[in-house]
Amino acid sequence: MNVDLDAAAGPGKAQPQGRAHPDAMVTLVIPVYHEEHNILPLFEEIRQVVALPYTALVIYDDEDDPTLVHREVLTSDPAIRFVRNVHGRGVVGAFKTGFELATTPYIIPIMCDLSDMPETVNRLYAKIQEGYDLVVASRYAPGGKKIGGPRIKLLLSRMANLSLHRISKIPTHDMTNAFIIYRKEVLDDIRIETVGGFEITMEIIAKAYILGYRITEVPTVNRDRSTGASKFRLMQWISRYMYWYLYIFRYKVLNRLMKPYRENVKKSHD
């Protein structure tokens, strides 16, 4: 995929240009922010363990991000492209940029901080071939595991996901992990409202469920970042996730009352 970096510098909608890497079935969307110590080890892991053809879109906010010191080396691999975030700053804009630019049938966000296990990509892809539309790499499914990180975050995350699974019956135990494989048409169909951060994952899963898309999960091991500073802020994290927690709860209540809630779920395809 030949992306015009200058054209991608301003706000707006990212425009797909050219083709994905030949034979690629999956686009890996990789947001970066000061990941200069992690990006090379990440791609080393990806090359060693990911068994299917892929295209990787590395999405950055600013040209002075030190992650870009590795751009020339990494883009010698035609599967890897660096693209500037066209939706402002932050992970939501990076995801939306990657989702819009991807031309492969499947899309997988994967974190650059080495928290996600790239070998799980193979299991995600195999599972979605069974007819699912969205498959979550779950830390809390049988066989999954979370290693490291703040204990209070882990406790709150486990409690929120367990209660959501029981209340909503959405078939995943982990609605707060961004490591997911999507059919591209699912993302093309969903209106994304999130402007904050990783709560975008809860929004997409909830809206996919409301729209009737098939959801499942595979277990994964998630590691706390090995280098770099964590951007975790407890109160901000709670407030942002609580909005979508209550959104899902409201949907289930209204659905049981035979008053289906579908506001702002689908994109307008005029």
Side-chain angles (χ1 to χ4, degrees), residues 218-236:
V218 297
T220 192
V221 175
N222 180 274
R223 310 162 290 193
D224 195 42
R225 67 163 46 245
S226 57
T227 63
S230 171
K231 303 166 186 69
F232 174 64
R233 301 292 183 270
L234 179 61
M235 295 310 298
Q236 187 180 72

PDB file of all heavy atoms in Angstrom, residues 218-236:
ATOM      1  N   VAL A 218     -10.583 -16.295  21.566  1.00  0.00           N
ATOM      2  CA  VAL A 218      -9.535 -17.291  21.758  1.00  0.00           C
ATOM      3  C   VAL A 218      -8.670 -16.797  22.920  1.00  0.00           C
ATOM      4  O   VAL A 218      -8.565 -15.590  23.141  1.00  0.00           O
ATOM      5  CB  VAL A 218      -8.669 -17.497  20.491  1.00  0.00           C
ATOM      6  CG1 VAL A 218      -9.511 -18.029  19.345  1.00  0.00           C
ATOM      7  CG2 VAL A 218      -7.955 -16.209  20.092  1.00  0.00           C
ATOM      8  N   PRO A 219      -8.064 -17.692  23.676  1.00  0.00           N
ATOM      9  CA  PRO A 219      -7.228 -17.240  24.797  1.00  0.00           C
ATOM     10  C   PRO A 219      -5.920 -16.631  24.314  1.00  0.00           C
ATOM     11  O   PRO A 219      -5.392 -16.991  23.264  1.00  0.00           O
ATOM     12  CB  PRO A 219      -6.978 -18.527  25.580  1.00  0.00           C
ATOM     13  CG  PRO A 219      -7.107 -19.623  24.574  1.00  0.00           C
ATOM     14  CD  PRO A 219      -8.161 -19.154  23.601  1.00  0.00           C
ATOM     15  N   THR A 220      -5.411 -15.689  25.093  1.00  0.00           N
ATOM     16  CA  THR A 220      -4.101 -15.108  24.815  1.00  0.00           C
ATOM     17  C   THR A 220      -3.415 -14.790  26.129  1.00  0.00           C
ATOM     18  O   THR A 220      -4.061 -14.676  27.178  1.00  0.00           O
ATOM     19  CB  THR A 220      -4.227 -13.828  23.963  1.00  0.00           C
ATOM     20  OG1 THR A 220      -2.929 -13.453  23.471  1.00  0.00           O
ATOM     21  CG2 THR A 220      -4.774 -12.648  24.779  1.00  0.00           C
ATOM     22  N   VAL A 221      -2.111 -14.627  26.075  1.00  0.00           N
ATOM     23  CA  VAL A 221      -1.327 -14.135  27.210  1.00  0.00           C
ATOM     24  C   VAL A 221      -0.962 -12.694  26.919  1.00  0.00           C
ATOM     25  O   VAL A 221      -0.462 -12.371  25.841  1.00  0.00           O
ATOM     26  CB  VAL A 221      -0.059 -14.980  27.424  1.00  0.00           C
ATOM     27  CG1 VAL A 221       0.806 -14.365  28.532  1.00  0.00           C
ATOM     28  CG2 VAL A 221      -0.424 -16.422  27.747  1.00  0.00           C
ATOM     29  N   ASN A 222      -1.244 -11.813  27.867  1.00  0.00           N
ATOM     30  CA  ASN A 222      -0.956 -10.393  27.728  1.00  0.00           C
ATOM     31  C   ASN A 222       0.100 -10.009  28.748  1.00  0.00           C
ATOM     32  O   ASN A 222      -0.036 -10.290  29.937  1.00  0.00           O
ATOM     33  CB  ASN A 222      -2.236  -9.576  27.938  1.00  0.00           C
ATOM     34  CG  ASN A 222      -2.005  -8.088  27.801  1.00  0.00           C
ATOM     35  OD1 ASN A 222      -1.636  -7.419  28.753  1.00  0.00           O
ATOM     36  ND2 ASN A 222      -2.227  -7.559  26.605  1.00  0.00           N
ATOM     37  N   ARG A 223       1.159  -9.355  28.277  1.00  0.00           N
ATOM     38  CA  ARG A 223       2.277  -8.976  29.151  1.00  0.00           C
ATOM     39  C   ARG A 223       2.256  -7.477  29.399  1.00  0.00           C
ATOM     40  O   ARG A 223       1.895  -6.705  28.508  1.00  0.00           O
ATOM     41  CB  ARG A 223       3.606  -9.339  28.473  1.00  0.00           C
ATOM     42  CG  ARG A 223       3.680 -10.751  27.958  1.00  0.00           C
ATOM     43  CD  ARG A 223       4.786 -10.938  26.930  1.00  0.00           C
ATOM     44  NE  ARG A 223       4.499 -10.267  25.664  1.00  0.00           N
ATOM     45  CZ  ARG A 223       5.165 -10.478  24.535  1.00  0.00           C
ATOM     46  NH1 ARG A 223       6.162 -11.330  24.516  1.00  0.00           N
ATOM     47  NH2 ARG A 223       4.858  -9.829  23.420  1.00  0.00           N
ATOM     48  N   ASP A 224       2.653  -7.052  30.589  1.00  0.00           N
ATOM     49  CA  ASP A 224       2.810  -5.625  30.823  1.00  0.00           C
ATOM     50  C   ASP A 224       3.996  -5.133  30.005  1.00  0.00           C
ATOM     51  O   ASP A 224       4.933  -5.901  29.728  1.00  0.00           O
ATOM     52  CB  ASP A 224       3.035  -5.354  32.313  1.00  0.00           C
ATOM     53  CG  ASP A 224       2.838  -3.887  32.660  1.00  0.00           C
ATOM     54  OD1 ASP A 224       1.886  -3.290  32.138  1.00  0.00           O
ATOM     55  OD2 ASP A 224       3.636  -3.346  33.446  1.00  0.00           O
ATOM     56  N   ARG A 225       3.952  -3.857  29.603  1.00  0.00           N
ATOM     57  CA  ARG A 225       5.028  -3.324  28.762  1.00  0.00           C
ATOM     58  C   ARG A 225       6.379  -3.536  29.433  1.00  0.00           C
ATOM     59  O   ARG A 225       6.525  -3.399  30.659  1.00  0.00           O
ATOM     60  CB  ARG A 225       4.811  -1.857  28.438  1.00  0.00           C
ATOM     61  CG  ARG A 225       4.900  -0.910  29.577  1.00  0.00           C
ATOM     62  CD  ARG A 225       5.073   0.548  29.149  1.00  0.00           C
ATOM     63  NE  ARG A 225       4.197   0.999  28.101  1.00  0.00           N
ATOM     64  CZ  ARG A 225       4.631   1.370  26.886  1.00  0.00           C
ATOM     65  NH1 ARG A 225       5.912   1.313  26.595  1.00  0.00           N
ATOM     66  NH2 ARG A 225       3.793   1.794  25.979  1.00  0.00           N
ATOM     67  N   SER A 226       7.414  -3.858  28.622  1.00  0.00           N
ATOM     68  CA  SER A 226       8.749  -4.134  29.156  1.00  0.00           C
ATOM     69  C   SER A 226       9.597  -2.877  29.271  1.00  0.00           C
ATOM     70  O   SER A 226      10.434  -2.757  30.171  1.00  0.00           O
ATOM     71  CB  SER A 226       9.463  -5.164  28.272  1.00  0.00           C
ATOM     72  OG  SER A 226       9.530  -4.707  26.932  1.00  0.00           O
ATOM     73  N   THR A 227       9.413  -1.919  28.357  1.00  0.00           N
ATOM     74  CA  THR A 227      10.148  -0.660  28.423  1.00  0.00           C
ATOM     75  C   THR A 227       9.211   0.487  28.093  1.00  0.00           C
ATOM     76  O   THR A 227       8.149   0.292  27.506  1.00  0.00           O
ATOM     77  CB  THR A 227      11.329  -0.637  27.432  1.00  0.00           C
ATOM     78  OG1 THR A 227      10.822  -0.721  26.106  1.00  0.00           O
ATOM     79  CG2 THR A 227      12.290  -1.776  27.689  1.00  0.00           C
ATOM     80  N   GLY A 228       9.607   1.697  28.469  1.00  0.00           N
ATOM     81  CA  GLY A 228       8.769   2.871  28.227  1.00  0.00           C
ATOM     82  C   GLY A 228       7.812   3.090  29.381  1.00  0.00           C
ATOM     83  O   GLY A 228       7.560   2.212  30.195  1.00  0.00           O
ATOM     84  N   ALA A 229       7.238   4.287  29.417  1.00  0.00           N
ATOM     85  CA  ALA A 229       6.345   4.656  30.516  1.00  0.00           C
ATOM     86  C   ALA A 229       4.914   4.274  30.201  1.00  0.00           C
ATOM     87  O   ALA A 229       4.424   4.491  29.097  1.00  0.00           O
ATOM     88  CB  ALA A 229       6.433   6.165  30.767  1.00  0.00           C
ATOM     89  N   SER A 230       4.237   3.677  31.185  1.00  0.00           N
ATOM     90  CA  SER A 230       2.825   3.360  31.028  1.00  0.00           C
ATOM     91  C   SER A 230       2.010   4.647  31.025  1.00  0.00           C
ATOM     92  O   SER A 230       2.312   5.594  31.752  1.00  0.00           O
ATOM     93  CB  SER A 230       2.356   2.463  32.177  1.00  0.00           C
ATOM     94  OG  SER A 230       0.951   2.315  32.147  1.00  0.00           O
ATOM     95  N   LYS A 231       0.955   4.665  30.217  1.00  0.00           N
ATOM     96  CA  LYS A 231       0.090   5.842  30.125  1.00  0.00           C
ATOM     97  C   LYS A 231      -1.201   5.637  30.911  1.00  0.00           C
ATOM     98  O   LYS A 231      -2.172   6.360  30.727  1.00  0.00           O
ATOM     99  CB  LYS A 231      -0.200   6.147  28.655  1.00  0.00           C
ATOM    100  CG  LYS A 231       1.083   6.353  27.847  1.00  0.00           C
ATOM    101  CD  LYS A 231       0.836   6.322  26.367  1.00  0.00           C
ATOM    102  CE  LYS A 231       2.143   6.393  25.584  1.00  0.00           C
ATOM    103  NZ  LYS A 231       2.963   5.186  25.727  1.00  0.00           N
ATOM    104  N   PHE A 232      -1.224   4.643  31.806  1.00  0.00           N
ATOM    105  CA  PHE A 232      -2.422   4.305  32.565  1.00  0.00           C
ATOM    106  C   PHE A 232      -2.724   5.359  33.625  1.00  0.00           C
ATOM    107  O   PHE A 232      -1.876   5.731  34.416  1.00  0.00           O
ATOM    108  CB  PHE A 232      -2.230   2.933  33.237  1.00  0.00           C
ATOM    109  CG  PHE A 232      -3.351   2.552  34.154  1.00  0.00           C
ATOM    110  CD1 PHE A 232      -4.625   2.352  33.654  1.00  0.00           C
ATOM    111  CD2 PHE A 232      -3.132   2.386  35.519  1.00  0.00           C
ATOM    112  CE1 PHE A 232      -5.672   1.992  34.496  1.00  0.00           C
ATOM    113  CE2 PHE A 232      -4.169   2.030  36.354  1.00  0.00           C
ATOM    114  CZ  PHE A 232      -5.432   1.825  35.848  1.00  0.00           C
ATOM    115  N   ARG A 233      -3.967   5.875  33.613  1.00  0.00           N
ATOM    116  CA  ARG A 233      -4.460   6.818  34.613  1.00  0.00           C
ATOM    117  C   ARG A 233      -5.773   6.267  35.150  1.00  0.00           C
ATOM    118  O   ARG A 233      -6.762   6.189  34.411  1.00  0.00           O
ATOM    119  CB  ARG A 233      -4.667   8.213  33.997  1.00  0.00           C
ATOM    120  CG  ARG A 233      -3.401   8.819  33.398  1.00  0.00           C
ATOM    121  CD  ARG A 233      -2.368   9.161  34.464  1.00  0.00           C
ATOM    122  NE  ARG A 233      -1.202   9.801  33.909  1.00  0.00           N
ATOM    123  CZ  ARG A 233      -0.126   9.168  33.470  1.00  0.00           C
ATOM    124  NH1 ARG A 233      -0.095   7.826  33.520  1.00  0.00           N
ATOM    125  NH2 ARG A 233       0.901   9.811  32.968  1.00  0.00           N
ATOM    126  N   LEU A 234      -5.811   5.886  36.436  1.00  0.00           N
ATOM    127  CA  LEU A 234      -6.912   5.105  36.995  1.00  0.00           C
ATOM    128  C   LEU A 234      -8.266   5.783  36.826  1.00  0.00           C
ATOM    129  O   LEU A 234      -9.205   5.186  36.278  1.00  0.00           O
ATOM    130  CB  LEU A 234      -6.654   4.813  38.471  1.00  0.00           C
ATOM    131  CG  LEU A 234      -7.760   4.019  39.190  1.00  0.00           C
ATOM    132  CD1 LEU A 234      -7.948   2.664  38.536  1.00  0.00           C
ATOM    133  CD2 LEU A 234      -7.425   3.876  40.678  1.00  0.00           C
ATOM    134  N   MET A 235      -8.430   7.021  37.306  1.00  0.00           N
ATOM    135  CA  MET A 235      -9.747   7.653  37.287  1.00  0.00           C
ATOM    136  C   MET A 235     -10.223   7.913  35.856  1.00  0.00           C
ATOM    137  O   MET A 235     -11.402   7.751  35.540  1.00  0.00           O
ATOM    138  CB  MET A 235      -9.713   8.959  38.092  1.00  0.00           C
ATOM    139  CG  MET A 235      -9.438   8.753  39.580  1.00  0.00           C
ATOM    140  SD  MET A 235     -10.501   7.484  40.325  1.00  0.00           S
ATOM    141  CE  MET A 235     -12.133   8.202  40.093  1.00  0.00           C
ATOM    142  N   GLN A 236      -9.312   8.297  34.989  1.00  0.00           N
ATOM    143  CA  GLN A 236      -9.667   8.508  33.588  1.00  0.00           C
ATOM    144  C   GLN A 236     -10.099   7.186  32.957  1.00  0.00           C
ATOM    145  O   GLN A 236     -11.074   7.128  32.204  1.00  0.00           O
ATOM    146  CB  GLN A 236      -8.468   9.094  32.846  1.00  0.00           C
ATOM    147  CG  GLN A 236      -8.754   9.506  31.415  1.00  0.00           C
ATOM    148  CD  GLN A 236      -7.523  10.073  30.741  1.00  0.00           C
ATOM    149  OE1 GLN A 236      -6.579   9.349  30.421  1.00  0.00           O
ATOM    150  NE2 GLN A 236      -7.512  11.387  30.548  1.00  0.00           N
TER     151      GLN A 236
END
